[in-house]
Amino acid sequence: MSTLKIAIQKSGRLNEDSLKLLRDCGISISNENDQLKTEATNFPLEVLFLRNADIPQYLLDGVVDIAIVGSNLLIEKGPQIPILEKLGFSKCRVSVAVPKNFTYASLSDLRNLRIATSYPETVKAYFETQEIPIALHEISGSVEIAPNIGLADAIVDIVSTGSTLFKNNLKEVAVILKSEAVLAVSPAIPEQQKKLLERFRFRVQSVLKAGKLKYVLMNVPDEKIQAISEILPVLKSPTIVPLNQNGWSSVQSVIDEAQFWEVIDKLKEIGAEGILVCPIEKMVV
């Protein structure tokens, strides 16, 4: 029986979020002994725990079929690798930062200065498009210390909360790109693996869709049911159950979280009462 091979980061926040996604997809794996490779017990999936920076090459070489990886890393090391899904977690940005005492007005203030980074291709391409020449210093790890030791005048690095920059007396001045975890597929994935990939992707899509929706139940006067139904467009139609109290019904539906409060306000204005909101674990359509 064929097995789908997936790469995820072997440690760190992306590792934790990736394992949670697999669990939410109903896939059980064990990594209690910090193995570098393990198999799911209830789905034909083999998991490889790899250094984050190595994952794009594993995809390009066809060693793994898919991977959960930051989109910033694909831009740097594998721009030709297809992205199947944006996963919405591990969000960050690749930003330019300078010492706090650096007088910064615009990107042109960095002209001909030394910039340290672990993302040389991304930085080079960005500054070329801005037509600003720089002296690029490629380093791996602890990029934020470079200005403090005289190695560089500025840096380009991943920024999440900004606390690391603050601790190293740096300030963020420009965002090159925004990144999040994505599901990427190897350009060399074998044809026989594609059916397994679609099964896995369907589970991922169900989890992602559920995360953007809320299940709502409310009590509604019967004469208001039509008006309520018109502002609950996510499903084909709401579920309507008559209540024991004459002239009232329970209306159940799904609403988009992005429009949550706007919809709730409208429901209350029309006459909905006792509105109950519940999270959705999966959404299969």
Side-chain angles (χ1 to χ4, degrees), residues 18-29:
S18 300
L19 291 176
K20 181 181 183 301
L21 177 62
L22 294 183
R23 290 195 298 270
D24 290 344
C25 289
I27 297 173
S28 299
I29 64 169

Side-chain angles (χ1 to χ4, degrees), residues 211-266:
K212 298 176 182 177
L213 302 173
K214 296 293 183 184
Y215 189 72
V216 292
L217 304 88
M218 69 205 81
N219 297 330
V220 178
D222 289 345
E223 69 270 16
K224 301 292 186 179
I225 289 177
Q226 182 60 37
I228 292 287
S229 299
E230 289 175 0
I231 62 171
L232 296 172
V234 173
L235 297 179
K236 291 181 179 178
S237 64
T239 300
I240 301 171
V241 180
L243 295 177
N244 193 39
Q245 183 177 347
N246 191 37
W248 284 78
S249 295
S250 172
V251 177
Q252 306 168 28
S253 189
V254 171
I255 61 177
D256 192 319
E257 188 172 35
Q259 301 173 323
F260 177 78
W261 289 111
E262 179 183 348
V263 172
I264 292 297
D265 288 342
K266 289 180 180 178

Side-chain angles (χ1 to χ4, degrees), residues 30 45 91 93 101 147 188 209 240:
S30 173
L45 185 74
K91 291 186 177 182
R93 53 198 181 274
N101 60 4
K209 190 171 183 64
I240 301 171

Side-chain angles (χ1 to χ4, degrees), residues 194-219:
K194 291 184 179 180
K195 280 191 176 182
L196 272 180
L197 173 57
E198 286 309 306
R199 285 175 57 194
F200 178 76
R201 188 179 181 186
F202 174 75
R203 295 193 184 197
V204 171
Q205 289 173 334
S206 297
V207 171
L208 295 178
K209 190 171 183 64
K212 298 176 182 177
L213 302 173
K214 296 293 183 184
Y215 189 72
V216 292
L217 304 88
M218 69 205 81
N219 297 330

Side-chain angles (χ1 to χ4, degrees), residues 78-278:
Q80 67 273 54
I81 297 173
I83 292 174
L84 297 180
E85 302 288 344
K86 294 182 178 180
L87 301 178
F89 57 79
S90 295
K91 291 186 177 182
C92 63
R93 53 198 181 274
V94 177
S95 295
V96 180
V98 298
K100 288 181 180 177
N101 60 4
F102 186 100
T103 302
Y104 179 90
S106 68
L107 207 62
S108 61
D109 292 331
L110 301 177
R111 182 176 299 273
N112 296 321
L113 297 187
R114 301 165 300 163
I115 297 182
T117 186
S118 297
Y119 299 92
E121 297 302 320
T122 302
V123 174
K124 180 182 177 182
Y126 177 75
F127 278 93
E128 283 179 352
T129 61
Q130 301 298 315
E131 298 183 346
I132 297 174
I134 59 169
L136 190 63
H137 288 248
E138 180 182 355
I139 58 178
S140 58
S142 302
V143 175
E144 62 278 353
I145 200 174
N148 293 331
I149 61 176
L151 181 63
D153 302 297
I155 68 167
V156 173
D157 202 12
I158 287 179
V159 178
S160 181
T161 64
S163 61
T164 302
L165 294 182
F166 180 80
K167 292 175 183 176
N168 286 276
N169 206 34
L170 300 172
K171 60 184 179 182
E172 183 180 8
V173 294
V175 176
I176 289 181
L177 61 88
K178 293 183 178 180
S179 175
E180 65 181 282
V182 297
L183 178 65
V185 61
S186 169
I189 184 172
E191 192 65 32
Q192 64 269 25
Q193 302 298 86
K194 291 184 179 180
K195 280 191 176 182
L196 272 180
L197 173 57
E198 286 309 306
R199 285 175 57 194
F200 178 76
R201 188 179 181 186
F202 174 75
R203 295 193 184 197
V204 171
Q205 289 173 334
S206 297
V207 171
L208 295 178
K209 190 171 183 64
K212 298 176 182 177
L213 302 173
K214 296 293 183 184
Y215 189 72
V216 292
L217 304 88
M218 69 205 81
N219 297 330
V220 178
D222 289 345
E223 69 270 16
K224 301 292 186 179
I225 289 177
Q226 182 60 37
I228 292 287
S229 299
E230 289 175 0
I231 62 171
L232 296 172
V234 173
L235 297 179
K236 291 181 179 178
S237 64
T239 300
I240 301 171
V241 180
L243 295 177
N244 193 39
Q245 183 177 347
N246 191 37
W248 284 78
S249 295
S250 172
V251 177
Q252 306 168 28
S253 189
V254 171
I255 61 177
D256 192 319
E257 188 172 35
Q259 301 173 323
F260 177 78
W261 289 111
E262 179 183 348
V263 172
I264 292 297
D265 288 342
K266 289 180 180 178
L267 293 174
K268 290 182 65 179
E269 287 175 8
I270 293 173
E273 298 180 2
I275 302 172
L276 178 64
V277 182
C278 304

